[in-house]
Amino acid sequence: MARALLGPALIGLLLLVAPAWAQAPGEVLARAQELLDGGRAEEAIALLEPLARGRRADPQALLLLSTGRFMTGDVERGRRDLDRALELDPGLRQGWLNRAALDLSEQRYAEALAAFERARELDPAAPENDLNVGVVKLLQGDLEAATRLFGAYLARLPAAAEAHYLVATNYAMAGYTGLALQPLGRAIALDERVRLRARTDPNFSALASHPRFQELLATDGYRPPPEAHRAERRYEMAYSDSDGRLLEAVVDALRLAGRHRLVEVTADWALVWADMRIKITNDAEGKGLVSLSAPAGAFTPAAWQERSEAFFRQVAVQLTTRGG
């Protein structure tokens, strides 16, 4: 079951219910939203407070101000600002979603359900309605209703990795570890980067020793489509998760090229995502194998040839500095 959450942890709970952020009108409110999105809550609060005072307080400003207070851990003032925003403008759908998240964090499930139902009334077609109500039903112990609602949600978004992941993490959060595995597996199949996210999601901590969960985290099932660009190169230095020199060489080669990277490491392989997908593993002879792939439209054939060869050369240079 969910535990009572306070302060910044409340913001994490909002991610479980697929919020639909409102567009803040006006230059000041838009700037405040940017600051909140960037984690600069105190600056946003200072900007918003003049708009949230007195009898002519702006409900959108109060809504954003409440979010800023939650981010800084000031839950009580955040609650007051949120309630005032909804009092002034009951049509703030995001306000009802935030109110529901706050109620969920305090295990006030009946109140959370009522807030989610208000949000549904304001936008009956929003696909996250079924997910949100399903979360409450799950935490209330009504597994049958929750499963039905989650199924309806996924039926509307069958190819959305994020949708399957949200269902999985909610099942796991509520202690239904077995039920979390199927949607998690589907989410990974739709977007393999979800696997990296699941490794650090505290909701999945209870699944750490589950064989199927371990299998999902250890398996790289991705296969580039036939039309994708591909290239590979072998190096004398083997890949090992305990001796990270080959992986470090790959990451540094990307860094020197100014490429953004996201890294996932296991005992048998590592993946690095940049402007191409890079897999580091060992071949049958125990030599390090670096495999590249990219969608067909990402490069022309000539550009791919140039990009991949330059990358392989830079990896070799980096390995030389590491004794490889």
Side-chain angles (χ1 to χ4, degrees):
M1 300 295 284
R3 295 171 294 175
L5 304 177
L6 295 176
L10 173 60
I11 303 304
L13 183 61
L14 298 181
L15 299 177
L16 301 179
V17 296
W21 294 100
Q23 295 297 313
E27 185 175 340
V28 174
L29 297 183
R31 175 57 181 158
Q33 183 69 70
E34 290 176 4
L35 290 169
L36 292 173
D37 292 342
R40 298 160 63 183
E42 292 182 356
E43 293 177 58
I45 289 171
L47 195 63
L48 290 164
E49 281 184 329
L51 298 178
R53 296 174 183 153
R55 296 171 60 185
R56 300 183 64 182
D58 187 301
Q60 278 280 3
L62 282 161
L63 176 60
L64 293 176
L65 183 59
S66 69
T67 299
R69 300 213 193 277
F70 293 141
M71 291 174 68
T72 60
D74 192 350
V75 177
E76 289 308 313
R77 294 178 72 185
R79 186 199 318 274
R80 290 198 296 270
D81 291 333
L82 178 56
D83 287 345
R84 178 63 174 154
L86 291 172
E87 178 185 347
L88 292 172
D89 185 359
L92 286 175
R93 184 170 184 270
Q94 185 61 52
W96 291 111
L97 293 175
N98 291 4
R99 178 74 245 188
L102 180 61
D103 289 331
L104 280 178
S105 75
E106 298 172 344
Q107 299 183 338
R108 297 159 57 93
Y109 300 137
E111 291 86 347
L113 184 60
F116 277 141
E117 291 295 356
R118 290 294 299 273
R120 184 196 291 272
E121 291 170 6
L122 292 169
D123 186 359
E128 71 270 13
N129 286 331
D130 287 325
L131 172 70
N132 293 340
V133 176
V135 169
V136 182
K137 294 294 185 181
L138 192 67
L139 294 174
Q140 288 179 319
D142 190 346
L143 180 59
E144 181 179 353
T147 299
R148 183 176 64 253
L149 289 160
F150 288 164
Y153 171 64
L154 294 178
R156 299 182 67 178
L157 300 167
E162 179 69 10
H164 290 270
Y165 186 86
L166 285 171
V167 169
T169 196
N170 275 294
Y171 271 136
M173 176 190 66
Y176 297 100
T177 57
L179 292 174
L181 292 168
Q182 182 176 351
L184 178 60
R186 180 58 180 156
I188 293 171
L190 290 167
D191 182 353
E192 62 176 349
R193 287 168 291 188
V194 166
R195 186 180 52 236
L196 177 60
R197 181 176 169 188
R199 293 181 189 278
T200 57
D201 188 333
N203 285 338
F204 292 121
S205 58
L207 279 71
S209 61
H210 195 289
R212 177 55 181 157
F213 185 67
Q214 292 179 338
E215 180 185 4
L216 286 173
L217 297 189
T219 302
D220 171 26
Y222 177 79
R223 298 293 180 268
E227 69 276 10
H229 296 292
R230 284 179 279 190
E232 64 181 30
R233 184 69 51 86
R234 286 167 173 78
Y235 298 93
E236 290 299 322
M237 181 173 289
Y239 168 75
S240 168
D241 62 340
S242 59
D243 180 355
R245 286 179 292 174
L246 181 54
L247 175 57
E248 290 170 1
V250 167
V251 171
D252 282 348
L254 287 168
R255 178 181 57 80
L256 291 170
R259 311 290 180 181
H260 176 72
R261 57 206 178 277
L262 185 65
V263 182
E264 182 179 15
V265 178
T266 74
D268 296 322
W269 49 262
L271 289 174
V272 184
W273 293 276
D275 56 344
M276 52 189 174
R277 182 187 192 269
I278 307 168
K279 182 174 182 178
I280 308 103
T281 187
N282 293 318
D283 66 10
E285 298 177 356
K287 293 183 178 181
L289 179 64
V290 177
S291 304
L292 312 180
S293 64
F299 299 90
T300 65
W304 174 251
Q305 180 73 18
E306 179 181 355
R307 175 79 179 93
S308 58
E309 286 299 323
F311 175 75
F312 287 138
R313 287 195 300 270
Q314 185 56 241
V315 171
V317 169
Q318 294 300 315
L319 283 174
T320 299
T321 67
R322 292 169 169 82

